[in-house]
Amino acid sequence: MSTLLIITAVVTLFAAVAAMSLRNLVHCALMLAVSFSGVAALYLQLNAEFVAFTEILVYVGAVAILIVMAILLTRSGESPEKSVLTAGWYAGVAVTAMVFTTLGWAILSSSALPQTVAPAPVVSVKNIGDTLMGRYVLPLEIVGLVLTAAMIGAVLIAFKAEPRDKNQKS
Amino acid sequence: MNPLTICLLISALLFATGFAGAVTRRHAILVLVGIELMLNAANLNLIAFWRFGPHPEALTGFIFVLFSMALAAAEAAVGLSLVIAIYRHQQTSNLDEVRELKG
């Protein structure tokens, strides 16, 4: 189990690094989809099958396509001639190194982590449904409300103003 | 090594990758991609703690990840529509050139 976990992790991390470092944005979006699939495979190995399939449905299916659509609409499919990094990228890399060092130190030196491996939990879709509609029904409704508001907001923000109105104003 | 430690290290590396991309890349869409990678790392952490934690049958971390995915999808939709709106206004999505809030 551990070897498979490491192989999946290497593929995921390699795809993530590629998604963050390639010059062409379309290639970045494709590598991002590979990275999301790798995370879904990691979820499968952690006995969270439902979350794995949700990850494929939501991230590989929707978010990656949304990013490709945004690349299309902002006409940024070609590789830029100029540098793809911001002016102060040294500082960004330094902060990243500090963040990772702190995280790694905290993980490796923590005594709060359980030392014994628990047996794999059995989760059925019926269990998940019961929990979602029972104990977590209020958060579920609020998430539905937030999603509706976000959808309306996204349409309003990206809505194209009519050119006729623009001429009248100016 | 403990499988929980391995999972946490993987997720820390994924977080660092997303963070590095979000703070160093110039294109607005790639900053959003970096944020999505960071959210994925956080979700991986939650699932790892749920799987190796003391009470996996309570499904707490599991449900938390489902809600966090729904909110990440909403965030991606709003963020990308903001990128499109900025591109329409200023004809660029390069973050170094977007300097003014005035329309």
Side-chain angles (χ1 to χ4, degrees), chain A residues 13-128:
Chain A
L13 291 171
F14 186 77
V17 170
M20 294 279 76
S21 57
L22 289 176
R23 291 183 71 83
N24 192 325
L25 271 184
V26 180
H27 298 169
C28 292
L30 291 176
M31 292 320 281
L32 182 73
V34 174
S35 179
F36 286 157
S37 314
V39 175
L42 285 175
Y43 288 154
L44 277 181
Q45 287 169 48
L46 291 172
N47 300 88
E49 288 86 2
F50 189 80
V51 171
F53 295 127
T54 315
E55 166 97 12
I56 290 179
L57 211 67
V58 172
Y59 281 100
V60 185
V63 172
I65 299 299
L66 206 62
I67 286 168
V68 172
M69 289 299 289
I71 294 170
L72 178 82
L73 285 174
T74 56
R75 294 192 189 85
S76 37
E78 297 99 26
S79 314
E81 281 100 43
K82 289 184 291 177
S83 165
V84 291
L85 298 173
T86 51
W89 64 274
Y90 303 97
V93 172
V95 173
T96 307
M98 279 194 290
V99 166
F100 179 68
T101 318
T102 316
L103 280 177
W105 169 78
I107 292 166
L108 289 177
S109 68
S110 167
S111 57
L113 300 182
Q115 291 307 314
T116 53
V117 176
V122 182
V123 184
S124 66
V125 179
K126 185 175 178 299
N127 274 346
I128 301 167

Side-chain angles (χ1 to χ4, degrees), chain B residues 1 11 15 26 28 36-37 41-42 51 55 60 68 71 81 83-84 102:
Chain B
M1 214 196 290
S11 120
F15 183 88
R26 246 186 194 168
E36 290 296 323
L37 281 178
R51 167 67 181 81
H55 292 290
T60 320
S68 125
L71 292 180
S81 75
V83 172
I84 292 171
K102 204 176 151 199

Side-chain angles (χ1 to χ4, degrees), chain A residues 42-44 46-48 51-52, chain B residues 4 7 41-53 61-63 65-66 69:
Chain A
L42 285 175
Y43 288 154
L44 277 181
L46 291 172
N47 300 88
V51 171
Chain B
L4 177 57
C7 286
N43 285 349
L44 189 60
N45 249 356
L46 290 170
I47 284 290
F49 277 119
W50 165 76
R51 167 67 181 81
F52 300 111
F62 197 93
I63 302 289
V65 168
L66 289 182
M69 274 182 180

Side-chain angles (χ1 to χ4, degrees), chain B residues 12-26:
Chain B
L13 272 171
L14 197 62
F15 183 88
T17 314
F19 186 80
V23 294
T24 57
R25 288 298 293 252
R26 246 186 194 168

Side-chain angles (χ1 to χ4, degrees), chain A residues 131-147, chain B residues 63-64 66-67 70-71:
Chain A
T131 320
L132 265 181
M133 294 309 290
R135 196 172 159 202
Y136 294 100
V137 67
L138 188 63
L140 186 73
E141 298 295 329
I142 293 173
V143 161
L145 191 69
V146 167
L147 274 177
Chain B
I63 302 289
F64 204 111
L66 289 182
F67 286 137
L71 292 180

